[in-house]
Amino acid sequence: MISLLLATLTQSLTLIPLALGINLSYTLLRATDMTIDGSFVLGAGVFAQLVTMGISPIIAFLVALSCGAVAGAFTAFLQNGGKVDPLLAGILTSFILYSVNMAIMGRPNINLLSTPTLFSGAFAHSTTLGWFSVALVVGLLVVAFYTLLQSRLGLCLRAFGDNPALLSRQGYNVTYLRVTGFSLNNLLAAASGAITAQIIGYADIGMGVGMTLIGIGAIVLGQHIILPFIKKHYLRAGSELLAGFIGIALYFFILNGLLRFNINPIYLKLLLGILLALFLRTATRKASFS
Amino acid sequence: MKYIFTCLGLFSLLLLTACGNKHTTASNDEPKSIKIGIIIPIEHPAMDEITRGFEETLTADLKQPIEFQVMRAQGDVNLQRSMILQLQNKGVDLYAPIATQTTEMTAAMIHDRPIVGVAALLPESTRAKSQLALVDDEITPTQIIQFIHAIYPAKTQLTLVYSNNDKMAPQVDEAVAAGKTLGIQVDKRMITALPDLYSIAQSLSPQTQGILVLKDVLVVSGIATLSQTASQKHIPLISADDGSVQNGSGFALGVKEYQIGVEGAKVAEQILQGTPVATIPTVQMTKLSVFINTKALTAQGQDLAAIEKEAAKDHYAIVDVTSKPVGDLK
Amino acid sequence: MTPLLQFEHITLKHPSLERPILDDINYTVQKGDCVVVLGANGSGKSSLLKLLDGRYRTNDGKVLLKDKNILSLSSRTRAHCIHTLTQSAQDNLFLDLTIFENYQLIQKRNKADAIDSLADYLQAFNVKLAAKLDVLVARLSGGEQQALALALAVLYPPEILLLDEHTSALDPKTAEHLMALTARIIHERHITALLTTHNVSHALTYGDRILALKEGCVHDCIERNDKENLTAEMLMARCY
């Protein structure tokens, strides 16, 4: 059981920034941003390519984050100009990102096993220290993100998701807010991608497939477990954050748990899907009463 | 709300009992049994063949009882990661990940147990940090191009269809370069998804004198599309693995998947008998075969005799796989 | 003195409609006026208001705010000068934010100092609101929502307040109450208001001037002095 929890914890840790990003797009901005599938790979790919070229991992990490932000800005830009639906804009961007990622990486798979990364030093010392350093980087991102959510910008982003037309009539620059929101969200996805690449030892062109879905599933799951307990609305940002953590952890708990049943893996995704559907169903039933 | 918690509670309870059960069965096992974890990234007959070769050879050669734990990740990176953790949790003695990407992940996560990367192409430098031995299944595109040139000295235009999958890009470059030295212009066509294959098959250059496919999972899975085009144009469709030949490619120069597993098992055997992993050189495949599909060759208007003649010259074994069911190539 | 607001030959067309929504409207509003716009459904009342807050653009003619074409104003300036309330709460407030957060957004836009006590301020509009600062607006009753919307609208008084049937979704008693409150506030604070309604007695009681529209044209204009002698029935006959 302890090994199961440990496996859950380490796996969730790398995807926490992604969960934050999806929390931002799905809960605050109220948009299903499929760009994440692409920007996750973009973050991993840019980071892998840069460190392979011998650039310092810290700089590579920061550049990877910025690239994610640019991808998000592009999705926002698509929505601004042609009034493309956010879902469609995201799919379009991640479609384009496929080629961009290939161009940046130059090959479909970049190996990081013998390349110094942000965490390689710590992992060489001991696994515990390694995971501690990962937790540190993720923690920094979480704190930065939480501070942002609590600021006026966070309020504006939430208002944008609630009612962009009213926000615009109140004199706010909606375009700016949309770009900021989508950039941040994809920056976090790219961060998750870059961290994941360092943990699993490579960046791969196909590693982002389904990430948005896992993220949204986890967020919704987490929220419906935790939000009923939160009565005070000023605790909202914090509880949403917590919901993201819990959701992601639960997803991996279930995944790792199912593996332990020695279930034929052909049915694993079916079971995982049914479990998620069960949770989501209870979630929607709750929502229809409130 | 209650419902969610009931679900979760039941799940955890089941989990506890499941874990408990396994514990008792494990303790009843013979203590000397060696546990080997095989990680298969995606469902594919070739993967099963490699696994079979690996398991059968190792079972036959090692005197100790062996317990194989086969994990199938179904193309899901998160699942694959969970599975490696799961193997680690089970205390596996040796890991045998199949394919490059799987080997990379295992090497990144496992440092205290030997790993035999089967059908994996990785730079030597990556072997330093973990106990990693490699079996490289690739025959070089140069070998294939040279073989084609030997059979068809007059051909100067080939179309190479490939996907953006793992490992392909450097091989494609090599194929183009090899073609250039032999006076063959290799026309590159990349697909990103299976549906692209049809459009590419329809828009081949009229001058092309043959279609070449390397060991490329995505393209191979749609080989029938290319086979039709080849038959219409009466040009050969040449590939680099047996499965594609069964499904409509004319002939292929390649390695039997089963044999890759055998080579992997031999490396595993050495490691288990105490050879330090770092001293084992990366294994290259030397036993090459020419797989032929006589029906497809006839449809494509190609002469079998010329192929047989060249194969004999290079000492390649001829394997006729016409209408043989997949997975029966031992 | 230049008038606060001038409509000059306003024409508004929609490609799918044969008849223009607004057809050559000319009207002037002075500072401090409370103008009631009357007219049947589809007469163009709401469209006229939407020209002001930027939701619609004229095809012909121009709207001048203090002699400046309203289209030349930045959206921020326009939002600063003009505030709209409609009957639907989601046009007026962020339903999934709390009362306090709604206030913060208004305050930030006006770059103004925070007021001492939002609770005290809201007390004057609806006593119940004061205790619910941390409640989502979606959880308030319709009457509370509209009272809150009004309170926030006049917190930093705009040059022009547009009230597009802002009481029509409420029950008669609440509507009456809100209307009286609205009228008191705009008179006390000298806010210029354009108000649409279907309630002719409201129009008579609270409006300084009345503009009646019919099929997109100005049908009748009733000035301050003429209003004295009118009854609701007479107004009804003149305007519809």
Side-chain angles (χ1 to χ4, degrees):
Chain A
M1 200 67 183
I2 288 181
S3 71
L4 171 63
L5 290 179
L6 221 59
T8 304
L9 194 70
T10 51
Q11 272 193 291
S12 318
L13 199 54
T14 45
L15 289 190
I16 279 180
L18 181 86
L20 295 183
I22 290 176
N23 177 34
L24 176 64
S25 62
Y26 189 75
T27 315
L28 266 70
L29 301 178
R30 310 254 175 101
T32 308
D33 183 14
M34 298 291 284
T35 320
I36 284 171
D37 277 11
S39 49
F40 185 82
V41 182
L42 182 67
V46 169
F47 179 83
Q49 185 63 284
L50 289 180
V51 289
T52 313
M53 285 159 65
I55 287 164
S56 135
I58 297 176
I59 294 172
F61 189 64
L62 294 178
V63 175
L65 299 200
S66 333
C67 286
V70 171
F74 182 73
T75 302
F77 166 77
L78 284 181
Q79 296 169 49
N80 284 339
K83 294 193 172 168
V84 180
D85 167 76
L87 181 67
L88 211 59
I91 292 174
L92 206 60
T93 311
S94 70
F95 189 75
I96 295 170
L97 274 181
Y98 197 94
S99 299
V100 174
N101 290 337
M102 272 304 277
I104 289 174
M105 292 166 68
R107 52 191 184 277
N109 183 297
I110 299 180
N111 182 322
L112 288 177
L113 289 174
S114 53
T115 318
T117 67
L118 281 182
F119 314 122
S120 57
F123 270 108
H125 194 269
S126 79
T127 312
T128 323
L129 192 69
W131 283 112
F132 187 75
S133 65
V134 178
L136 192 75
V137 172
V138 172
L140 274 175
L141 281 169
V142 171
V143 169
F145 182 70
Y146 183 71
T147 319
L148 199 84
L149 277 195
Q150 294 295 58
S151 72
R152 283 286 167 80
L153 179 63
L155 179 60
C156 290
L157 289 175
R158 203 179 280 277
F160 173 83
D162 188 19
N163 195 337
L166 176 57
L167 201 65
S168 164
R169 253 184 301 127
Q170 287 199 349
Y172 284 94
N173 188 340
V174 181
T175 307
Y176 161 77
L177 282 171
R178 188 186 284 116
V179 170
T180 312
F182 277 81
S183 300
L184 273 173
N185 141 34
N186 284 286
L187 179 147
L188 288 164
S192 233
I195 294 172
T196 304
Q198 296 172 65
I199 300 297
I200 65 176
Y202 61 90
D204 190 279
I205 192 80
M207 69 195 281
V209 176
M211 283 295 170
T212 314
L213 204 63
I214 293 176
I216 291 179
I219 292 275
V220 174
L221 184 57
Q223 284 188 354
H224 283 275
I225 286 182
I226 189 161
L227 289 191
F229 295 109
I230 309 295
K231 297 279 184 265
K232 299 282 179 216
H233 284 285
Y234 57 84
L235 292 177
R236 187 169 38 183
S239 53
E240 279 166 2
L241 222 61
L242 197 61
F245 300 166
I246 290 180
I248 282 281
L250 219 53
Y251 177 84
F252 283 111
F253 178 75
I254 293 169
L255 179 71
N256 286 307
L258 283 178
L259 275 180
R260 265 154 229 246
F261 286 133
N262 281 342
I263 285 165
N264 184 341
I266 295 172
Y267 304 119
L268 202 75
K269 286 202 165 168
L270 178 72
L271 269 170
L272 214 54
I274 290 174
L275 266 171
L276 267 182
L278 277 177
F279 284 134
L280 291 183
R281 269 191 63 84
T282 50
T284 44
R285 204 160 53 190
K286 271 254 165 243
S288 62
F289 279 130
S290 67
Chain B
M1 198 63 226
K2 262 184 198 162
Y3 183 63
I4 293 181
F5 278 115
T6 319
C7 281
L8 274 178
L10 270 177
F11 182 74
S12 308
L13 207 70
L14 269 171
L15 210 60
L16 273 174
T17 45
C19 292
N21 279 340
K22 216 163 291 153
H23 226 75
T24 47
T25 47
S27 58
N28 288 343
D29 270 357
E30 277 187 58
K32 280 209 163 181
S33 147
I34 293 174
K35 281 187 195 165
I36 293 184
I38 300 174
I39 305 137
I40 301 176
I42 195 162
E43 291 305 310
H44 193 270
M47 299 280 170
D48 294 335
E49 276 300 296
I50 296 175
T51 311
R52 206 162 59 87
F54 185 86
E55 287 186 355
E56 287 180 1
T57 312
L58 208 57
T59 317
D61 291 359
L62 272 188
K63 300 290 168 279
Q64 289 156 291
I66 308 170
E67 195 185 315
F68 290 105
Q69 304 269 355
V70 183
M71 292 288 183
R72 297 164 181 275
Q74 321 231 328
D76 183 329
V77 178
N78 287 315
L79 192 55
Q80 189 172 301
R81 217 176 131 188
S82 290
M83 286 173 162
I84 295 171
L85 288 171
Q86 167 77 350
L87 288 175
Q88 189 179 24
N89 177 46
K90 284 183 174 172
V92 161
D93 299 298
L94 184 138
Y95 294 81
I98 300 175
T100 305
Q101 175 258 108
T102 323
T103 306
E104 285 173 317
M105 191 189 276
T106 315
M109 291 167 64
I110 306 293
H111 300 281
D112 54 353
R113 290 283 185 281
I115 302 164
V116 181
V118 184
L121 186 64
L122 281 171
E124 281 297 312
S125 61
T126 54
R127 296 183 52 186
K129 279 196 180 168
S130 33
Q131 306 176 40
L132 181 62
L134 296 169
V135 176
D136 176 4
D137 65 320
E138 296 307 321
I139 64 160
T140 62
T142 311
Q143 284 170 291
I144 300 176
I145 299 266
Q146 281 168 347
F147 186 59
I148 296 171
H149 185 65
I151 300 170
Y152 306 108
K155 287 201 191 296
T156 55
Q157 288 259 1
L158 282 178
T159 301
L160 170 57
V161 183
Y162 65 105
S163 76
N164 44 5
N165 185 16
D166 226 5
K167 306 189 281 193
M168 290 322 297
Q171 292 196 44
V172 170
D173 293 343
E174 189 187 327
V176 173
K180 206 175 255 177
T181 57
L182 295 171
I184 302 172
Q185 191 196 327
V186 178
D187 198 5
K188 297 190 289 179
R189 293 292 162 93
M190 187 173 90
I191 65 163
T192 55
L194 212 45
D196 301 350
L197 205 53
Y198 183 77
S199 359
I200 281 186
Q202 296 307 309
S203 62
L204 287 183
S205 149
Q207 280 87 41
T208 200
Q209 294 162 315
I211 307 170
L212 176 59
V213 171
L214 297 175
K215 226 170 121 178
D216 187 333
V217 178
L218 188 65
V219 179
V220 166
S221 62
I223 198 84
T225 311
L226 293 176
S227 179
Q228 281 176 355
T229 311
S231 302
Q232 282 161 15
K233 294 188 163 238
H234 282 273
I235 54 173
L237 171 61
I238 306 150
S239 57
D241 72 301
D242 49 1
S244 59
V245 179
Q246 280 169 24
N247 293 320
S249 159
F251 68 95
L253 177 65
V255 184
K256 284 187 210 166
E257 309 294 353
Y258 187 86
Q259 194 61 33
I260 302 170
V262 172
E263 297 295 335
K266 285 181 187 161
V267 175
E269 210 180 304
Q270 288 181 48
I271 294 170
L272 292 171
Q273 281 161 356
T275 316
V277 181
T279 63
I280 301 174
T282 296
V283 177
Q284 304 285 346
M285 299 304 298
T286 46
K287 281 190 191 168
L288 300 188
S289 308
V290 177
F291 303 99
I292 53 167
N293 183 332
T294 48
K295 278 185 194 164
L297 279 175
T298 316
Q300 290 161 17
Q302 301 304 315
D303 184 15
L304 177 62
I307 299 168
E308 281 176 333
K309 200 179 111 199
E310 278 310 313
K313 216 187 264 176
D314 292 335
H315 305 289
Y316 297 148
I318 292 265
V319 184
D320 186 355
V321 295
T322 315
S323 66
K324 258 188 197 171
V326 179
D328 188 24
L329 289 172
K330 193 181 161 188
Chain C
M1 197 179 88
T2 52
L4 181 64
L5 189 66
Q6 286 166 284
F7 294 95
E8 289 187 354
H9 305 291
I10 296 297
T11 303
L12 180 67
K13 289 178 185 140
H14 192 275
S16 69
L17 294 176
E18 221 166 271
R19 177 176 75 75
I21 302 167
L22 292 172
D23 194 2
D24 197 23
I25 304 274
N26 291 290
Y27 197 70
T28 305
V29 180
Q30 298 293 345
K31 186 161 170 48
D33 282 355
C34 175
V35 180
V36 177
V37 187
L38 289 177
N41 289 327
S43 60
K45 301 188 301 294
S46 296
S47 305
L48 191 68
L49 299 198
K50 283 178 184 165
L51 285 174
L52 293 175
D53 67 8
R55 277 184 281 183
Y56 287 175
R57 293 170 75 95
T58 45
N59 298 86
D60 206 1
K62 53 192 170 185
V63 186
L64 299 176
L65 180 72
K66 290 194 215 160
D67 273 348
K68 270 190 201 154
N69 191 330
I70 208 153
L71 290 176
S72 70
L73 300 179
S74 74
S75 61
R76 182 173 275 271
T77 319
R78 191 171 53 217
H80 212 84
C81 298
I82 297 167
H83 197 108
T84 313
L85 293 188
T86 76
Q87 58 183 312
S88 134
Q90 65 185 15
D91 284 345
N92 308 333
L93 296 165
F94 297 98
L95 297 183
D96 276 357
L97 300 183
T98 64
I99 294 184
F100 190 71
E101 286 168 337
N102 270 279
Y103 153 73
Q104 281 182 309
L105 284 166
I106 298 263
Q107 183 220 338
K108 189 196 170 208
R109 180 210 54 192
N110 284 281
K111 296 195 168 131
D113 294 332
I115 55 172
D116 291 338
S117 164
L118 182 61
D120 288 350
Y121 173 73
L122 291 179
Q123 198 91 36
F125 291 84
N126 184 320
V127 276
K128 287 183 191 156
L129 287 178
K132 295 183 176 175
L133 297 189
D134 191 35
V135 171
L136 292 188
V137 170
R139 301 257 184 280
L140 302 177
S141 74
E144 288 170 340
Q145 284 174 342
Q146 292 301 73
L148 173 66
L150 177 67
L152 293 178
V154 297
L155 177 60
Y156 304 104
E159 301 271 7
I160 299 170
L161 182 63
L162 304 177
L163 301 161
D164 192 359
E165 298 183 34
H166 73 301
T167 60
S168 58
L170 305 175
D171 67 78
K173 198 177 155 202
T174 316
E176 201 61 50
H177 183 82
L178 184 69
M179 196 61 224
L181 178 69
T182 312
R184 200 184 77 224
I185 299 279
I186 56 182
H187 281 122
E188 271 175 18
R189 303 183 184 212
H190 308 290
I191 296 168
T192 313
L194 259 72
L195 184 149
T196 68
T197 180
H198 286 301
N199 187 326
V200 281
S201 67
H202 279 177
L204 267 185
T205 322
Y206 303 116
D208 299 329
R209 305 165 63 201
I210 294 167
L211 169 68
L213 295 180
K214 194 171 197 178
E215 292 178 349
C217 302
V218 175
H219 180 63
D220 203 348
C221 287
I222 299 164
E223 294 304 324
R224 222 173 284 256
N225 311 335
D226 308 340
K227 218 186 68 174
E228 310 298 325
N229 316 316
L230 283 173
T231 63
E233 286 75 20
M234 292 161 72
L235 185 62
M236 189 81 164
R238 273 181 75 167
C239 294
Y240 287 89

